[in-house]
Amino acid sequence: MIAPLRPPVSLKSGFSKRAFWVFGFGLALASQKVHADADTIKLGFDYGLSAVGISNNDGKTTTADDLNYYSHQIRAYLNGQLSPNVEAGLRVQSVNVWGLEGSTNAPSTRYPAADGTPWIEQAYLHMPRLAGNHLALTLGRQSIVVGDGLLVSDDDLGFNALRAQIRLPWQLGLDLFTAKINEGLENKTDFDLNGVVASLKRGDNHWDLAWVQEINDAPSNYRLGGSTQTASRVNRTFYDLRLFGDLKDAYYKLELALGQGNASTSAGDVKIQGQSEKIELGAQTDTARLGRFGVKALYASGSGDDPDSTDKDESFRPTFSKRWKGLQREGWGRHFAATPSDAYDPDHPFSSDGTGLPGVASGIKTLGLGLFTIQKVNWTGSIDYFTYDSRIKVSGQNSLGAELDLGLLYRYTNSVSFDFSAATFFPGDVYGPETSKVTRYTASTQIHF
């Protein structure tokens, strides 16, 4: 796997947590003065707190391991107009597990710091109305998500990027970006991310055609055939076709992605080729007495790497696929949290370095079915069931397991919500005979002001 993305601007040295809170308090005070001068200045604060309890974290009957912790994600932001056609934004973030503030034992994550040390998530200049309102430019550290994040998502981390969004006639559009992940200067160990997304809207239907390129000349870890190699260079190119539509009380999403490229590893040169498919459907309706009910279904799959082919990598593994929201993993299933290529890793629960799959298992096929209901506007209840299979068999087996999720969301106000969930994961045959169920309980709150 590629080393995690890290921003070039860290506040770890010379910027203490006390300074971070002073900064936030200063924003609050400044808002009182700025509001009187200009209504275009927006100051805000997002706070997410999660309490997580996992019983039998590794899914083995021979151990009795539990994982219990509190974690939070803090984001303070300032947005405003420098002139009628120029906007600027700054967002500072801090994440950590309670009790590990400033600790050298803070978990390894995708983020630059997970010990409460603040860092810059976004710092950008946005010009939305250039070339007769046909061109929008964004310069600086910014959020970039392609579609639902199958190929590219910054996961609230931000990319150092240049981005141009072009509005064309007949409801056509172009989105072009180039991001610098790593700069080697004289060593020529750069890591660049480039993309072009063409969009077309026709009635309720929306088409996206995307091209995404990863060029990594920095030494990195590379997973091949169930083992980890050292790669001096990895180039990946992805082509993605996405069709989605919002119909009356229903929606659908269809997506097909192809990947190709090459890698220079310690085991030799490797040709990369893989693919992923996703189909998602949903519908909802109102009832006179029982409130609003809905149903959704999912099929998603990513190709796996044949362990017998050492000069080819058939897995579909975008480096920047959507995986995280703070320190909580996001995917299909509240615990297993699958993507087409990886899932929750009990050995490294906060890290994206591994795939979370045992042995030579590779590529994940997910089937899902869910029901939800909205009661009295403020309450949403849900039940979801997922099955997971490895595209590559291990000792003749390919079942990764199944998961049952129960969720309850309460919107206390427009700015405060509470989410409670229980997930039970049943490990499959791929994990061997000595396995037992894993249960995860999560209580979280989200505050925005």
Side-chain angles (χ1 to χ4, degrees), residues 11 234 246 252-253 437:
L11 306 183
V234 180
D246 288 319
Y252 71 91
K253 297 179 182 180
K437 68 179 181 181

Side-chain angles (χ1 to χ4, degrees), residues 28-333:
L29 291 178
S31 66
Q32 302 303 315
K33 179 179 180 181
V34 171
H35 182 74
D37 299 332
D39 292 332
T40 57
I41 300 297
K42 296 181 180 179
L43 300 169
F45 203 77
D46 293 329
Y47 181 70
L49 171 63
S50 297
V52 179
I54 306 175
S55 178
N56 192 31
N57 180 54
D58 63 2
K60 298 178 180 178
T61 57
T62 55
T63 60
D65 61 318
D66 294 335
L67 179 62
N68 305 298
Y69 64 90
Y70 294 92
S71 71
H72 69 216
Q73 180 183 31
I74 305 171
R75 306 166 79 198
Y77 61 88
L78 166 65
N79 297 14
Q81 286 188 316
L82 305 182
S83 69
N85 296 317
V86 180
E87 302 171 4
L90 173 66
R91 188 184 292 267
V92 178
Q93 185 176 161
S94 170
V95 295
N96 74 277
V97 173
W98 279 11
L100 293 179
E101 294 85 350
S103 171
T104 57
N105 295 322
S108 174
T109 70
R110 182 177 178 178
Y111 301 95
D115 60 356
T117 301
W119 41 271
I120 294 178
E121 176 189 340
Q122 296 179 16
Y124 63 85
L125 190 68
H126 180 56
M127 293 167 282
R129 289 179 286 275
L130 297 174
N133 283 341
H134 292 291
L135 173 64
L137 288 180
T138 308
L139 315 175
R141 190 159 189 84
Q142 58 190 281
S143 174
I144 298 178
V145 180
V146 175
D148 291 331
L150 180 66
L151 299 182
V152 177
S153 173
D154 68 296
D155 285 355
D156 295 336
L157 178 54
F159 291 110
N160 295 313
L162 309 176
R163 187 177 190 182
Q165 294 166 290
I166 304 172
R167 292 178 288 273
L168 300 172
W170 305 297
Q171 293 186 301
L172 290 167
L174 282 176
D175 188 352
L176 304 89
F177 62 87
T178 178
K180 179 66 69 172
I181 309 304
N182 184 73
E183 174 59 64
L185 294 179
E186 297 179 357
N187 296 325
K188 296 182 178 180
T189 55
D190 292 6
F191 189 171
D192 296 310
L193 175 67
N194 306 304
V196 177
V197 182
S199 62
L200 170 64
K201 187 175 182 180
R202 286 290 181 269
D204 295 325
N205 302 312
H206 192 131
W207 297 80
D208 280 347
L209 180 62
W211 170 88
V212 173
Q213 182 184 54
E214 302 175 7
I215 304 177
N216 184 12
D217 290 323
S220 58
N221 294 329
Y222 188 86
R223 184 176 175 86
L224 181 66
S227 63
T228 300
Q229 312 288 336
T230 300
S232 59
R233 177 181 174 87
V234 180
N235 289 346
R236 290 187 176 98
T237 301
F238 298 96
Y239 305 92
D240 183 80
L241 176 62
R242 182 169 176 261
L243 171 62
F244 60 97
D246 288 319
L247 311 175
K248 183 179 180 180
D249 293 329
Y251 75 92
Y252 71 91
K253 297 179 182 180
L254 309 174
E255 191 164 7
L256 172 64
L258 303 176
Q260 64 180 33
N262 56 78
S264 298
T265 73
S266 54
D269 292 336
V270 178
K271 183 178 180 181
I272 300 173
Q273 55 184 35
Q275 68 180 53
S276 178
E277 314 89 30
K278 186 182 78 169
I279 302 173
E280 186 176 347
L281 306 171
Q284 54 186 322
T285 186
D286 287 318
T287 62
R289 297 182 179 180
L290 300 178
R292 193 166 184 83
F293 284 82
V295 61
K296 54 186 176 180
L298 168 76
Y299 165 83
S301 180
S303 58
D305 178 30
D306 182 358
D308 296 327
S309 177
T310 58
D311 61 345
K312 277 186 180 181
D313 181 1
E314 297 89 352
S315 65
F316 178 83
R317 193 161 50 231
T319 305
F320 303 108
S321 183
K322 184 175 182 61
R323 294 183 176 93
W324 298 96
K325 178 66 175 179
L327 297 181
Q328 303 307 311
R329 188 177 167 92
E330 287 201 333
W332 298 304

